[in-house]
Amino acid sequence: MGQCAIMAATWMEASQVTDAAAASRADVASRLPLLHLTFLLLATAAAAAVGGEPSPPPATATTPWPEKFHAVVVTNLTGSGGRLQQIDIYYDWPRGSALNVIRNQLAGDPLRDVQWVNGTSYLFDAMSCRAFHFAVGLLPPDWKKKKAGHDGGGGAAYLGREHVDGFDCHVWSNFVFDRYYEDVVTGLPVAWIVDGMERHVLSFEPGAVLEDCSKWQAPAYCFNGSKADAPASSP
Ligand SMILES: *[C@@H]1O[C@H](CO)[C@@H](O)[C@H](O)[C@H]1NC(C)=O
Ligand SMILES: *[C@@H]1O[C@H](CO)[C@@H](O)[C@H](O)[C@H]1NC(C)=O
Ligand SMILES: *[C@@H]1O[C@H](CO)[C@@H](O)[C@H](O)[C@H]1NC(C)=O
């Protein structure tokens, strides 16, 4: 817990850095394609993705996310010049943050992305760090129930059923997910599409947490002008 306390203190210092580094989503996207894969982080244009769907079927009973989970997702980015990619996602709503550990095939050191509920995010590897700010932070566990214009969800639309990865799925969409596929039988996520990237869920452990507090801590150079805002390595 000592490390967690340190983290909180550092976090307070970090807010200035974060404000200084505030950037529009478009700006971030153009400079840092990697951030597209941060599925929990949100753009300001709420509900843009849900407009124009022809008469969606009535919303179905749906499973909220557990307050904490660990998921492993894989993506094939080779078609767009990237690599096969695996991301370990640690979502912790009570803590108010999520950690993505991003590994590209045979690329060595992973990239880490710590996202906070208020929209601040640190993306770093062993060499560099960038801070970002988004208008909306983590998706809440019950994001599928959120109506447009209400805080924390931005509006989600139920789009019906589809078969994905061999699973019969409920399909959702919101301003993060172009599509979000949920197994009808278990309620587990099967896949989602963010910015055109199809992420396939290999494992999903409700309640799993990252015990090592230090893993949540962005490195000192995120809060130190000497390295902060140096470009992160590209995917
Ligand atoms: C984010 O939250 C932290 C602590 O909860 C706070 O110190 C900081 O000012 C917040 N940042 C923004 C941009 O609201
Ligand atoms: C990845 O996608 C490319 C096409 O974009 C395909 O040729 C290749 O077989 C895929 N690799 C895997 C492991 O799915
Ligand atoms: C910033 O980092 C450099 C090199 O790692 C270190 O010498 C310096 O003391 C740090 N400054 C602060 C304010 O942490």
Side-chain angles (χ1 to χ4, degrees):
M1 285 320 282
Q3 282 169 318
C4 289
I6 290 165
M7 176 187 68
T10 308
W11 167 246
M12 294 308 285
E13 287 168 36
S15 59
Q16 284 86 15
V17 177
T18 299
D19 289 343
S24 73
R25 184 171 197 264
D27 190 27
V28 169
S30 63
R31 287 178 302 166
L32 194 67
L34 253 175
L35 214 63
H36 289 226
L37 54 81
T38 63
F39 84 103
L40 295 165
L41 269 181
L42 315 179
T44 49
V50 301
E53 291 295 340
S55 57
T60 177
T62 185
T63 318
W65 278 349
E67 292 211 322
K68 303 174 184 188
F69 65 77
H70 171 215
V72 177
V73 304
V74 293
T75 312
N76 178 0
L77 297 174
T78 62
S80 52
R83 301 284 189 203
L84 292 182
Q85 185 180 75
Q86 176 186 301
I87 308 177
D88 278 85
I89 300 165
Y90 294 90
Y91 172 87
D92 193 330
W93 181 251
R95 174 187 277 272
S97 57
L99 170 67
N100 293 345
V101 182
I102 303 151
R103 291 183 178 84
N104 291 302
Q105 186 171 21
L106 298 177
D109 254 9
L111 200 66
R112 291 167 201 274
D113 178 18
V114 178
Q115 308 170 344
W116 295 90
V117 72
N118 64 8
T120 297
S121 179
Y122 296 99
L123 184 66
F124 55 94
D125 59 16
M127 296 301 295
S128 64
C129 178
R130 293 200 74 113
F132 299 95
H133 182 75
F134 295 86
V136 183
L138 294 184
L139 284 178
D142 63 346
W143 63 268
K144 278 169 265 175
K145 282 189 183 166
K146 296 288 179 182
K147 301 281 185 268
H150 289 60
D151 67 338
Y158 179 68
L159 303 179
R161 301 268 280 263
E162 213 174 301
H163 270 86
V164 174
D165 293 347
F167 294 84
D168 182 16
C169 294
H170 293 303
V171 186
W172 296 83
S173 176
N174 74 352
F175 61 121
V176 181
F177 298 117
D178 303 329
R179 291 291 181 273
Y180 177 94
Y181 303 101
E182 173 184 296
D183 182 18
V184 166
V185 177
T186 61
L188 296 175
V190 170
W192 56 76
I193 302 176
V194 174
D195 284 342
M197 293 180 292
E198 292 184 27
R199 307 213 175 279
H200 304 268
V201 181
L202 287 190
S203 68
F204 189 89
E205 306 165 71
V209 294
L210 190 60
E211 296 294 351
D212 183 354
C213 269
S214 66
K215 293 285 192 293
W216 293 93
Q217 174 63 61
Y221 46 86
C222 285
F223 315 105
N224 176 336
S226 63
K227 276 183 174 175
D229 279 356
S233 61
S234 75

